[in-house]
Amino acid sequence: MSGAGEQFVFGYGSLAAGAGGRRARLEGHRRVWGVAMDNRVTIPGYKAYRLPADSSRPAVYVAFLDVVADPGAVTEGVLLAVDRAALGALDARERNYERVDVSAAVPGAPGLVWTYRGSAAGRARLQHGLQRGSAVVDRGYLEAVRAGFAALGIADDADPASLPVIELERVELPAAP
């Protein structure tokens, strides 16, 4: 059994897709398409997206899943055991989010439970993309999340609704020299 000093991350999107862990519930939150990255901006050591047809880099805001407070709602996902190094790596990876303690919202939490909730900047980027009509969802991201949900027996509530879903190719950008 897990000890009180252990730490976990509640994954509800791409972290729940194929990452292992055990099923869990985050009470008082619902899953939404809530953050975006601006694909026009190059951030060394991050990522960008290209169109597979011609390798061009479209001027779009790529949307990702988020969780927002919603009394009475429940989000299903997974608990992933993490150590300090893993948390540091996730903090760097999850640039559109801030890590928050949700231990009290996870029934039977085996220790400290964190999740990544959309940052103000990440949420503002999505709003900007929506206003410009250039917010999109990467088909590969959506399919990976849905496959992860199916493998875990989690209901698929990741419908991007009015966001266009397009085929993009993720490119890892080199770190700054």
Side-chain angles (χ1 to χ4, degrees):
M1 186 47 92
S2 300
E6 289 190 79
Q7 296 187 70
F8 299 83
V9 168
F10 178 82
Y12 56 83
S14 62
L15 289 178
R22 70 175 206 210
R23 275 184 69 169
R25 297 163 39 103
L26 179 63
E27 296 182 342
H29 294 79
R30 67 182 162 84
R31 196 177 348 257
V32 298
W33 292 92
V35 299
M37 63 163 284
D38 184 346
N39 198 49
R40 300 169 304 162
V41 176
T42 297
I43 301 173
Y46 193 43
K47 62 186 170 189
Y49 289 89
R50 294 190 178 147
L51 294 171
D54 62 9
S55 295
S56 66
R57 191 164 162 180
V60 295
Y61 292 81
V62 182
F64 302 99
L65 289 169
D66 187 8
V67 288
V68 295
D70 184 356
V74 174
T75 298
E76 291 188 78
V78 297
L79 283 182
L80 305 165
V82 292
D83 58 17
R84 184 172 295 156
L87 277 175
L90 285 170
D91 287 348
R93 172 193 150 158
E94 301 297 333
R95 295 172 191 244
N96 291 302
Y97 303 85
E98 52 192 29
R99 180 167 36 108
V100 295
D101 180 353
V102 292
S103 304
V106 177
L112 179 60
V113 179
W114 303 100
T115 199
Y116 288 89
R117 188 178 299 154
S119 67
R123 289 176 175 176
R125 279 189 294 276
L126 178 61
Q127 290 307 310
H128 190 72
L130 291 169
Q131 291 166 354
R132 293 184 58 166
S134 59
V136 302
V137 172
D138 169 36
R139 183 178 313 282
Y141 172 83
L142 178 60
E143 288 175 358
V145 167
R146 286 183 163 162
F149 289 173
L152 293 165
I154 293 175
D156 180 0
D157 61 355
D159 182 7
S162 62
L163 289 170
V165 178
I166 66 172
E167 194 74 36
L168 293 170
E169 176 183 291
R170 179 178 165 150
V171 177
E172 301 300 323
L173 299 175

